[in-house]
């Protein structure tokens, strides 16, 4: 096995400190013969750029150490694999890999057409948690055999973690490729859920065609949608988009539990949307706008609300409401007027940003055909301290009263939804 002077790569590397973690990853450069794997290895590890082709007949390993803010010092073992079909080292290479850069020559049609078979071979041995980055090399050469739309379709259909253009002429894009694959690899290790990152496919490259980033310039459709959404409002973008999508889809099954066989697909899609919402504002607008699966959007609304900094209904407000519901005389105190007054009193104790968001959700649920299922799914998410022992006890007491159970006495989200128009927000 060959090696490209690992010591040279450590020359200016930062020394690990006690405040940082030290991490180590094996990343593999995969691709057919002549696509430029060795050139990328030299560009990243030795800062040497060359367009000369020298066949790789054995594995070459370069080492690169990078500092990630104040978090970690990461040592990357970059493996260059032989591209000749008669030299198959798949079993040895991929089964221990933490990530893969799948390269092809964007000026060569045969190289482009080989990608599906190459990907099958990689995934036959690669751990399922390892991300795969698509690298369109030799981007400086014209014409290109595939445009960005074709690359994006392929990357999405195969659940790759992104697309990067590179050039061996001056090394453009090589560091971008390394940076994004390291980011995706670290995320997959941290979360334990590779699908959270493997689905995050970028939209279009920025700047010159080489060195494009995963989440770059917005597409024109995204800008139009953003302008039409009124994003200066107090409602978070993702919740605003989810409410609008659910309203348009008008599917009463949006908040119903999915079958076990379908649950994993929905969870994976929602995790993808959550990551996209943090990394690409224009991408999340387009993705939600085109999604026709109401259950995905319903779960997205629930998950996003669950990850807000604090519940929309503070625990003290929820407990006070529950106590009042228990103590109120059923015969004299449960008219619609009394219910509206108690709901209004609860709302008065909620601060404005949370109040406006709660109002938007309840207004949506009020006219939604799957209202009861939506309320049931969102109640524990919106109400702080829902699983607190005191509140569990109060709910048990209310459920023991058949009349209170029938008219949903004690369900604050239900009351705010049903009497939405009469509550003094």
């Amino acid at each position: 096995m060959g090696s490209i002077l690992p010591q040279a790569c450590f020359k200016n590397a930062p020394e690990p400190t006690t405040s940082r973690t030290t991490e180590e990853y094996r990343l593999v450069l995969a691709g057919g013969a002549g696509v430029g794997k060795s050139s990328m290895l030299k560009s990243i590890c030795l800062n040497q750029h060359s367009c000369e082709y020298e066949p790789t007949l054995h594995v070459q390993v370069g080492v690169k150490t990078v500092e990630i803010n104040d978090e970690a010092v990461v040592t990357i073992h970059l493996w260059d694999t032989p591209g000749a079909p008669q030299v198959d080292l798949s079993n040895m290479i991929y089964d221990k890999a933490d990530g893969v850069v799948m390269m092809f020559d964007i000026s060569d049609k045969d190289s482009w057409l080989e990608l599906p078979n190459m990907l099958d071979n990689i995934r036959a041995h690669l751990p399922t948690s390892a991300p795969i980055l698509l690298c369109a090399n030799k981007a400086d050469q014209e014409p290109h055999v595939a445009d960005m739309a074709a690359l994006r379709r392929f990357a999405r259909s195969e659940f790759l973690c992104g697309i990067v253009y590179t050039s061996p002429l001056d090394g453009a894009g090589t560091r971008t490729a390394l940076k994004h694959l390291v980011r995706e690899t670290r995320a997959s290790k941290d979360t334990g859920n590779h699908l959270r990152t493997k689905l995050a496919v970028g939209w279009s490259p920025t700047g010159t065609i080489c060195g494009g980033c995963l989440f770059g310039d917005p597409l024109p459709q995204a800008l139009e949608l953003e302008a039409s959404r009124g994003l200066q409002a107090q409602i978070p973008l993702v919740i605003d988009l989810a409410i609008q999508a659910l309203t348009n889809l008008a599917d009463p099954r949006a908040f119903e539990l999915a079958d076990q066989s379908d649950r994993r697909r929905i969870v994976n899609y929602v995790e993808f949307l959550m990551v996209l919402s943090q990394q690409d504002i224009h991408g999340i607008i387009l993705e939600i706008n085109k999604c026709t699966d109401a259950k995905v959007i319903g779960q997205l609304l629930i998950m996003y609300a669950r990850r807000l900094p604090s519940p929309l209904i503070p625990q003290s407000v929820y407990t006070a409401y529950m106590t009042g519901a228990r103590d109120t005389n059923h015969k004299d105190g449960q008219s619609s007027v009394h219910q509206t007054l108690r709901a209004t009193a609860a709302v008065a104790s909620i601060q404005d940003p949370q109040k406006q968001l709660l109002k938007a959700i309840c207004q949506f649920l009020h006219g939604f055909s799957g209202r009861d299922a939506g309320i049931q799914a969102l109640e524990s998410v919106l109400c702080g301290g829902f699983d607190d022992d005191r509140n569990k006890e109060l709910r048990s007491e209310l459920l023991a009263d058949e009349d209170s159970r029938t008219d949903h006495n004690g369900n604050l989200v239900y009351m705010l939804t049903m009497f939405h128009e009469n509550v003094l927000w």
Side-chain angles (χ1 to χ4, degrees):
M1 181 181 299
S3 177
I4 299 184
L5 300 178
Q7 294 301 322
C9 308
F10 283 97
K11 184 176 181 180
N12 297 315
E15 291 294 331
T17 66
T18 55
S19 62
R20 300 190 185 103
T21 61
T22 56
E23 302 172 12
E24 198 166 347
Y25 301 115
R26 177 190 290 184
L27 305 181
V28 177
L29 300 176
V35 300
K37 301 184 296 299
S38 298
S39 295
M40 175 176 277
L41 181 66
K42 293 178 181 178
S43 177
I44 291 175
C45 294
L46 301 178
N47 198 30
Q48 296 177 359
H49 315 301
S50 173
C51 293
E52 295 182 3
Y53 173 54
E54 297 180 7
T56 301
L57 301 179
H58 57 272
V59 174
Q60 297 189 89
V61 180
V63 180
K64 181 73 175 180
T65 299
V66 296
E67 180 181 21
I68 301 179
N69 299 326
D70 294 325
E71 299 176 19
V73 174
V74 178
T75 300
I76 303 159
H77 299 268
L78 202 59
W79 288 49
D80 173 18
T81 59
Q86 63 269 27
V87 184
D88 187 3
L89 303 175
S90 301
N91 286 327
M92 184 182 73
I93 300 298
Y94 296 124
D95 62 349
K96 302 296 184 183
D98 297 302
V100 173
V101 179
M102 186 171 67
M103 300 179 63
F104 77 103
D105 182 347
I106 197 170
S107 65
D108 184 345
K109 184 176 181 180
D110 290 337
S111 179
W112 163 247
L113 296 177
E114 288 173 2
L115 284 179
N117 289 335
M118 184 196 314
L119 185 58
D120 289 342
N121 184 47
I122 292 172
R123 284 193 166 144
H125 307 284
L126 188 71
T128 56
S129 61
I132 302 174
L133 175 70
L134 180 61
C135 176
N137 197 30
K138 304 186 182 181
D140 55 294
Q141 298 184 18
E142 299 285 352
H144 290 177
V145 297
D147 59 14
M148 187 60 186
L151 299 185
R152 192 183 302 118
R153 284 194 298 271
F154 177 75
R156 284 182 178 279
S157 66
E158 297 295 345
F159 303 120
L160 306 183
C161 75
I163 307 164
V164 175
Y165 285 85
T166 57
S167 170
L169 190 62
D170 56 3
T174 55
R175 294 183 183 276
T176 299
L178 181 67
K179 177 183 70 174
H180 285 296
L181 187 57
V182 169
R183 183 191 69 182
E184 299 295 310
T185 301
R186 295 186 76 234
S188 69
K189 299 290 184 180
D190 290 342
T191 63
N193 181 3
H194 69 285
L195 288 166
R196 182 179 177 193
T197 55
K198 281 184 71 177
L199 297 176
V201 178
W203 296 96
S204 60
T206 57
T208 62
I209 194 166
C210 297
C213 66
L214 294 183
F215 301 97
D217 287 341
L219 298 179
Q221 306 97 291
L223 293 176
E224 294 173 7
L225 283 168
E226 182 176 353
S228 68
R229 292 301 314 126
L231 302 184
Q232 300 304 315
Q234 292 179 300
I235 310 303
L237 170 63
V238 173
I239 291 183
D240 190 18
L241 292 169
I243 287 175
Q244 292 299 320
L246 290 170
T247 301
N248 294 334
L249 291 171
D251 187 342
R253 303 167 298 172
F255 294 100
E256 294 179 2
L257 291 176
D259 296 335
Q260 185 66 36
S261 59
D262 202 33
R263 195 170 302 166
R264 174 50 53 188
R265 177 190 63 82
I266 293 175
V267 170
N268 291 344
Y269 197 173
V270 172
E271 286 287 355
F272 158 54
L273 293 175
M274 290 295 293
V275 172
L276 198 61
S277 70
Q278 299 169 7
Q279 298 177 333
D280 187 356
I281 184 174
H282 309 286
I284 191 66
I285 292 174
L286 291 174
E287 198 68 34
I288 294 179
N289 183 65
K290 75 174 187 179
C291 181
T292 58
D293 191 332
K295 288 188 177 182
V296 168
I297 304 300
Q299 288 303 310
L300 174 65
L301 178 59
I302 293 171
M303 182 176 292
Y304 197 91
R306 182 178 288 120
R307 295 187 184 181
L308 290 172
S310 59
L312 298 185
I313 301 174
Q315 181 172 344
S316 58
V317 174
Y318 180 58
T319 302
Y321 178 86
M322 294 290 292
T323 303
R326 182 201 61 182
D327 295 341
T328 300
N329 180 277
H330 176 71
K331 292 183 179 179
D332 299 328
Q334 294 308 310
S335 67
S336 62
V337 173
H338 283 84
Q339 291 174 334
T340 302
L341 288 175
R342 289 199 300 110
T344 296
V347 166
S349 302
I350 302 175
Q351 297 299 313
D352 212 6
Q354 290 79 11
K355 183 190 300 185
Q356 293 304 316
L357 181 50
L358 181 64
K359 177 182 178 181
I361 292 175
C362 291
Q363 183 179 10
F364 152 68
L365 290 172
H366 182 76
F368 184 59
S369 55
R371 178 184 61 204
D372 289 348
I375 292 172
Q376 183 178 358
L378 286 164
E379 182 187 15
S380 62
V381 177
L382 301 179
C383 298
F386 184 83
D387 292 323
D388 179 75
D389 290 341
R390 174 59 176 161
N391 290 326
K392 285 182 178 179
E393 180 182 342
L394 290 170
R395 282 200 303 275
S396 296
E397 293 180 23
L398 287 167
L399 288 173
D401 184 334
E402 183 177 351
D403 293 326
S404 293
R405 184 169 65 249
T406 302
D407 61 16
H408 300 276
N409 185 27
N411 188 330
L412 179 53
V413 177
Y414 182 89
M415 296 300 176
L416 292 174
T417 298
M418 292 301 297
F419 302 105
H420 174 267
E421 296 177 350
N422 298 322
V423 172
L424 300 178
W425 295 92

